[in-house]
Amino acid sequence: MRRIFKTHYNQDIDLFRDGIDRNIYCGLLVILLLLPLSVGSFWLGEISYALILSITSVGLMLLTGFAGQVSIGHGAFVGIGAYANAVLLTSGLPLPLSIIGAVVISTLVGALLGYPALRLSGLYLAMATLAFTFIVEHVFVHWESMTGGFGGMSVPAGVILNYSIMEGVSFYYLCLLSAVGALLLARNILRSPTGRAFVSIRDSEVAAQSMGVNLASKKTTAFALSAGFAGLSGALLAHRIGSLAPDAFGVLLSIQLLLMVVVGGLGSLHGAIFGAIFVSMLPQIIAVFRDTLPDSLAQQPGLEPGLFGAILVAFVLFEPAGINGRWQKVKAYFAHFPMHRKATFRRQKNFTKSERFR
Amino acid sequence: MTLLNVRDLTLSFGGVKAVNAISFDIQAGEIFTIIGPNGAGKTTLFNLLSRIYRPTGGEITFDGMNITNVAAHRIAKLGIARTFQNIELFEHASVLHNLLVGRQAHVETNVLQEMLFLPSVRKRELEHRDVAERVIELLRLEHARDELIANLPYGVRKIVEIARALCTQPKLLLLDEPSSGLNPEETHDIGFWIRDIRDDLGITIALVEHDMGLVGRVSDRVMAIDQGQMVAVGRPDEVRQNPQVLSAYLGIPS
Ligand SMILES: Nc1ncnc2c1ncn2[C@@H]1O[C@H](COP(=O)(O)OP(=O)(O)OP(=O)(O)O)[C@@H](O)[C@H]1O
Ligand SMILES: [Mg+2]
C-alpha cells in the first residue's frame, strides 16, 4: 500500500498527488499520443468519439456530480455547439475561431439557462432542463435560414493551416488536445475555491450560503462552464458526423449524457472519463446484444433507450458510485490484500440530517 | 461596545409568530446564551441573524451597520459565522475541504484565474490553508484532517462545524446547541472550547443551549425566550431563578 508523506501544503494543491501519479498520467498521455502509429482508422475514430464525449462528460460532471444540479438538457448544448461551429465555418471563419465561437455561444446560453434554473432543484430542475432540450430542438427545426431545418446542414470541412482536420489522424489529435485541455481546466477549477463552492452547494445549500457562497452566481457559473464544455464537444462532434440534423441532439442524447456521468460515478473526474468510454462503446455493445436476441425483440424500435434506462436503473440500484466506485473498490482490495475488509465500502444510512431548513 | 443590536425583530410563518418583537444586544467579547423550551424560536432567531430568513419586522445592526436586508452570502464576510442545530456539513468532502469552504467569504480570485490556476490562485490557496491549519491546531482536529465527514463520529462532526465557522474569521460566532447529542465528557470539552475561542481569539459568542450546566459555566449573560417572546435577560443564575422562566419550562402559569 502506498502512503503519501506530506511535507508541504503544495502537495495538496498540486495537479498530481506525487511523482508516481504524475508518471502514470504522463505515461498515459504518451500512449495516447503514439496511438495513431498502431491503431487502425476505425478504432482511431472510435477513440476520437470517446474523447469528444469525455469533454461533455467532464462538463456535466462539474454541474451534476460536483455542483449537484441535475441536467437533462446537455444534448441541447452539444447541439448548439455543433450548429454554431457549422454556421460560423460556413460564414467563412477559420476553424480555431469557429470552435472558440461555438464554445462562447453555448457558454452564454448555459448562463442564460442557469438563471431561471436558480430557483429549481432536484426533479423540477430536471424537468426544466428537459423542456430546454425540446425548445432548442424546436429552434433547430424551425430556424431554417440558419440550420437548414429538417433538411439538415452539412458541416464545411475544417482546415487548419491548409491542413484538413477531417482526416482521421489529425482529427484524433484535435480531439485529444481538446479533451486534455478540458480535463486540465476542470481539474484546476476543482482544486480552487470555485470547485469547493460547487461541492458545498451540492451537500448543503444553507451552510454554503452561511459560509459566504453566493448560490446564484456559483450555480450560474456551473451551468455556463458545463455548457461551454458541451459546446466544445458539439463543435468537434459536428466534424465527426459531417451533417447535422435536429433530432441528433434531442432527449435521447441528453439522457445518454446523464447516463454517462451516473454510470461513470458522480463526483469524480475519473468517473467522467470512465463514463465517456462506456457510452462511446455502447453502440458496439448494443450491436453484440442485438445479435444474441431473437429477431422479434432485436428489431424493436425502442431497444436502445430501453437499454439506457435499464443500465441507469441497474447502476443506481447496485453501484451508485458508478464505474469509478467499482474501480476504487478493486484498488482498495489489492492495496490492502489480504487484509481487506468487506465492510469498508458498506453503504451507511444516516439519520442525523433534517430537511427542516431546506 | 455593542457588537450586535436587535430591535423589535419579528418573523411570522403564516399565523405563527415564531419570533415576536424581540429586542436585545450583545456586547463585544461576551458569551451570550439564549435558552427556551422547544419551539420557542431560538433557531429561527439565529436564522434571522444569519439572514437565511427575512424578518417581517424589526432591525438588526451589526458592528454599526444595518444588516436587516443584506444578502445571506454576505453575512460571513461582515463577520458573523454560525453552526447548525442539525449539523450541516459537506458530507462527501474531507474535513479540510469543509474548513476551506469556510474561507469562501475571503476568496478574491475569479473562475477564469482559477481555471488557469495562475500563481495568484496558488498564493491565495496557501494563505487559506494556513488559516485552516491554525483552526485545526486550536481544536485538535489533526487526526481527522483528511477524513470524509460521512466517516466521522457525531461528536467530531460538531467540532468540525465549529472549526468551519472559525475559518471565516468571524467577529460573532452563533452556535446552535453545540452540546446536543454529545456525551457528558464531550459536553464538558465543548465548554472549554467555547471559552478558549472567546479568550484566545477574542470572538464574541452567542449560543443556544439546553444543557443548564453548560449554560451556567460559560455564559456571561443569558436571555430566555418563550413562544417567540423575550421572557428575561440577565446573569445566568438570575435568569434561572426567574419565575416566568420556570413557568415557561415547567408549564406552570406564573
Ligand atoms: N420553516 C418554518 N416554517 C414554519 N414554521 C416554522 C419554520 N421554522 C420554525 N417554525 C416554527 O417556529 C417555531 C420556532 O421554531 P424554532 O425551530 O425556532 O424553535 P427552537 O427554539 O429552535 O426549538 P428547539 O429547541 O426544538 O430547537 C416553532 O413553532 C416551529 O414550528
Ligand atoms: Mg432549535
Side-chain angles (χ1 to χ4, degrees):
Chain A
M1 190 179 157
R2 181 151 56 107
R3 285 228 166 261
I4 294 171
F5 183 64
K6 289 182 188 166
T7 52
H8 197 281
Y9 298 157
N10 269 328
Q11 280 171 275
D12 284 335
I13 297 175
D14 284 341
L15 212 45
F16 306 106
R17 276 188 310 173
D18 59 7
I20 301 179
D21 265 16
R22 191 184 53 228
N23 292 342
I24 291 176
Y25 288 108
C26 289
L28 205 62
L29 184 63
V30 170
I31 292 175
L32 284 172
L33 283 171
L34 296 179
L35 210 59
L37 295 180
S38 61
V39 164
S41 67
F42 172 78
W43 283 108
L44 209 54
E46 290 305 301
I47 296 167
S48 303
Y49 182 51
L51 289 169
I52 293 173
L53 279 183
S54 65
I55 300 171
T56 327
S57 189
V58 165
L60 189 56
M61 189 59 87
L62 285 180
L63 181 70
T64 303
F66 288 95
Q69 312 295 306
V70 180
S71 166
I72 319 185
H74 267 57
F77 290 122
V78 174
I80 289 170
Y83 273 103
N85 185 26
V87 169
L88 291 175
L89 274 178
T90 314
S91 76
L93 234 56
L95 183 78
L97 289 184
S98 72
I99 291 184
I100 292 172
V103 173
V104 170
I105 291 170
S106 50
T107 306
L108 290 178
V109 178
L112 281 181
L113 173 69
Y115 194 71
L118 289 180
R119 295 185 165 275
L120 306 172
S121 63
L123 200 55
Y124 300 100
L125 181 60
M127 275 156 60
T129 51
L130 182 64
F132 173 72
T133 319
F134 289 122
I135 294 169
V136 171
E137 199 179 342
H138 197 76
V139 171
F140 289 156
V141 171
H142 290 282
W143 197 359
E144 284 185 22
S145 58
M146 205 60 129
T147 66
F150 272 127
M153 176 179 197
S154 69
V155 183
V159 174
I160 297 179
L161 304 173
N162 293 329
Y163 196 68
S164 165
I165 62 136
M166 303 305 284
E167 181 251 332
V169 174
S170 42
F171 185 63
Y172 168 78
Y173 280 122
L174 180 65
C175 294
L176 183 61
L177 178 75
S178 309
V180 171
L183 200 56
L184 276 179
L185 292 186
R187 181 79 177 89
N188 282 345
I189 290 168
L190 288 175
R191 63 188 169 129
S192 51
T194 303
R196 289 196 294 270
F198 287 170
V199 173
S200 72
I201 293 174
R202 177 191 71 191
D203 284 2
S204 166
E205 285 197 4
V206 342
Q209 215 174 9
S210 300
M211 294 300 126
V213 175
N214 182 344
L215 297 185
S217 120
K218 292 299 183 242
K219 283 188 190 176
T220 311
T221 307
F223 265 100
L225 281 172
S226 72
F229 281 77
L232 174 58
S233 86
L236 296 173
L237 194 64
H239 290 291
R240 179 180 154 88
I241 51 189
S243 160
L244 306 179
D247 57 352
F249 305 105
V251 182
L252 196 58
L253 178 62
S254 289
I255 292 178
Q256 213 172 336
L257 298 179
L258 190 63
L259 174 86
M260 185 159 73
V261 289
V262 173
V263 166
L266 288 172
S268 124
L269 284 183
H270 284 116
I273 305 297
F274 289 144
I277 295 170
F278 178 75
V279 166
S280 71
M281 292 188 330
L282 258 186
Q284 268 93 329
I285 298 173
I286 289 177
V288 172
F289 191 67
R290 226 184 257 275
D291 290 345
T292 65
L293 283 180
D295 249 14
S296 56
L297 260 180
Q299 301 310 323
Q300 290 294 326
L303 187 65
E304 273 187 39
L307 262 180
F308 292 166
I311 293 169
L312 198 59
V313 169
F315 266 93
V316 168
L317 281 181
F318 301 114
E319 188 57 283
I323 300 174
N324 181 56
R326 186 50 53 181
W327 164 242
Q328 298 297 340
K329 281 172 207 171
V330 171
K331 265 206 316 199
Y333 178 84
F334 285 107
H336 295 273
F337 189 82
M339 317 263 270
H340 83 286
R341 291 174 306 167
K342 250 190 145 162
T344 312
F345 291 99
R346 181 160 298 154
R347 267 187 277 165
Q348 293 178 349
K349 278 228 163 60
N350 209 326
F351 297 102
T352 55
K353 264 245 181 307
S354 120
E355 293 282 308
R356 199 156 162 195
F357 301 112
R358 295 274 167 102
Chain B
M1 193 194 90
T2 305
L3 184 63
L4 179 82
N5 180 285
V6 174
R7 283 287 148 260
D8 297 323
L9 199 62
T10 303
L11 175 70
S12 344
F13 292 114
V16 186
K17 285 205 165 167
V19 170
N20 191 356
I22 287 191
S23 300
F24 63 94
D25 46 39
I26 297 180
Q27 303 300 317
E30 80 175 329
I31 298 180
F32 186 87
T33 305
I34 300 165
I35 60 168
N38 292 119
K42 305 177 297 291
T43 298
T44 309
L45 183 59
F46 269 18
N47 284 341
L48 284 169
L49 295 183
S50 51
R51 294 291 298 103
I52 289 171
Y53 292 156
R54 181 178 294 276
T56 40
E59 212 175 79
I60 311 167
T61 314
F62 175 72
D63 209 12
M65 180 180 169
N66 184 340
I67 60 161
T68 321
N69 293 307
V70 168
H73 68 265
R74 293 190 42 222
I75 289 293
K77 174 95 196 191
L78 292 175
I80 302 181
R82 68 170 295 178
T83 64
F84 296 84
Q85 184 169 353
N86 297 301
I87 302 195
E88 290 284 346
L89 285 170
F90 312 120
E91 287 271 320
H92 306 285
S94 69
V95 168
L96 183 61
H97 185 128
N98 272 267
L99 299 199
L100 288 173
V101 175
R103 299 297 301 156
Q104 282 289 331
H106 303 276
V107 167
E108 282 162 11
T109 47
N110 64 40
V111 67
L112 290 178
Q113 296 167 311
E114 289 169 7
M115 250 171 15
L116 304 173
F117 217 80
L118 300 181
S120 60
V121 177
R122 179 181 293 267
K123 184 166 157 277
R124 300 288 303 169
E125 281 296 283
L126 288 171
E127 288 166 14
H128 295 321
R129 178 71 189 266
D130 213 46
V131 174
E133 285 299 331
R134 253 175 254 198
V135 173
I136 287 177
E137 205 180 327
L138 179 78
L139 297 182
R140 314 254 166 78
L141 282 170
E142 292 91 348
H143 63 98
R145 189 189 283 117
D146 294 319
E147 293 280 344
L148 291 188
I149 299 298
N151 299 336
L152 289 177
Y154 192 81
V156 181
R157 291 187 205 198
K158 283 246 143 182
I159 305 288
V160 174
E161 227 196 359
I162 296 177
R164 183 181 64 181
L166 285 181
C167 283
T168 68
Q169 296 179 313
K171 295 180 188 132
L172 174 65
L173 179 60
L174 309 174
L175 304 174
D176 199 347
E177 305 202 6
S179 80
S180 73
L182 300 187
N183 63 34
E185 290 82 34
E186 288 169 329
T187 305
H188 198 75
D189 286 348
I190 282 276
F192 283 116
W193 294 136
I194 290 174
R195 292 214 82 107
D196 278 359
I197 289 168
R198 196 267 306 267
D199 297 342
D200 296 354
L201 305 177
I203 295 171
T204 309
I205 295 174
L207 68 151
V208 166
E209 189 47 72
H210 280 301
D211 184 318
M212 281 306 170
L214 182 61
V215 171
R217 260 182 292 128
V218 302
S219 324
D220 296 315
R221 281 195 306 149
V222 175
M223 173 171 79
I225 63 176
D226 183 30
Q227 298 182 2
Q229 282 175 308
M230 190 171 96
V231 179
V233 61
R235 284 207 321 276
D237 47 329
E238 276 170 17
V239 173
R240 211 166 0 185
Q241 317 280 308
N242 185 307
Q244 274 176 291
V245 174
L246 288 175
S247 77
Y249 268 98
L250 305 172
I252 311 162
S254 57

